[in-house]
Amino acid sequence: RIFGLAGFRRFWLGFTFSAVGDVISRVALTWFVFELTQSPEALGLLSLAYTGPVLIGGFVAGELLDRFDKRNVLIADSIIRGLAVGAVPLLHVLGLLELWHLYVVAAMYGSLMMISLAGSPALVPDLVDADQLVTANSLETLSFTLSGVIGPMIAGVLLTHLSAPALLVLDALSYFFFALMLLQIRPARKQPAHLAAVSQASYRLSDAVRLLLREPVLLSTTLMFMLFNLGFGAVMVALPILTDQIGGGADGYGILLAALAVGEVLGALAAGTISLPFTIGLRIGLAQALAGIALVGIVISQSPLVLLVSLFLAGWFSAPLTIWAQTLRMQVIPASLRGRTFAVLRTLMQGTMPAGGMLAGFLLPALGTAGLLGGCALVMGAPGLFGMSLASLRQADEIRD
């Protein structure tokens, strides 16, 4: 039924294709930098460049999304990032591509990424009915998880035949496709100018911060996911090195990422179809704890089968986290504060991922891959146990009409 809404259908298709392109680019550039440098520090810096600037760009994104037409902001973002990504293969063909160019493009991506991350939950309520929000949240997560399955597989196969910079052409095209889909969506009905002015004057970024601090569900899930992403950022830096240690190539790296993403897809589908006999808040804590426990298998054994199973289970348990938390968040965030609040939340959560990647680059030589991954399992899973001990989260339930 939700795909019967032309606006949402076009948005979801464009968003999904763009997400696939982003994954292809990130896999290609990660492998390219590792091939060029053979340096975990260089991989850590790339991870930092990709997501570090979100700490600055995220707060600007919230203001833009609440002050201007969200659709137009997303269109401008797609065109700008498409041109930036497209510059990499062009420089490569001209023989002018250098390592620092990759960091600049990654930093531009990080500076603007919050526009799409916060823009999606801010725009979607304008495209669907109120009783379809949970379904829309599930489909947003499914876009990311599908891209995680398809993207690494495409990148792994193509990297054996094409140069890594050439793969970024696909990402550039996906941005332009998203912009085209957004252009075909009718703008949401706007409030009269005098009411819109009152609405905008009513909220500031500080209001989003105060809302985060006073709402226990927002605060607890944000802190839990910040720690989860800290560990996850380190895992993403360790994986290409671990792949190399067990004798895998680019295709093996893609297969490991795909195992993680397949688990995420199935976990997202399960979250939307399986009814569980306890509250949504308790599910969040339990799922995060189990996601961390799943990674312990990598520490115990680094055989290809154990790696695949552990990453699959980590993906399975982590995918529902965003779906369930997003449902709870929409219950307490006013519509006119949606852009700023989601920008603040996702900026904080995404901001810890580059920190994890940077730490991994420096800790890997001292701890080794097994030691680092063991620490990641603890950092990712322990907050879930803490969340289950909080009555405010444990008793939180999903939106009821």
Side-chain angles (χ1 to χ4, degrees), residues 146-198:
L146 282 174
S147 68
V149 174
I150 300 169
M153 293 175 64
I154 295 174
V157 171
L158 293 182
L159 279 172
T160 62
H161 304 286
L162 300 172
S163 67
L167 266 62
L168 271 68
V169 172
L170 297 176
D171 193 17
L173 292 175
S174 74
Y175 278 122
F176 299 140
F177 176 75
F178 189 22
L180 179 62
M181 291 293 101
L182 289 167
L183 282 168
Q184 297 181 56
I185 297 174
R186 292 182 181 180
R189 286 180 294 177
K190 296 181 179 180
Q191 295 175 298
H194 67 285
L195 292 180
V198 171

Side-chain angles (χ1 to χ4, degrees), residues 119-131:
S120 172
L123 177 63
V124 163
D126 295 333
L127 304 177
V128 303
D129 297 329
D131 64 345

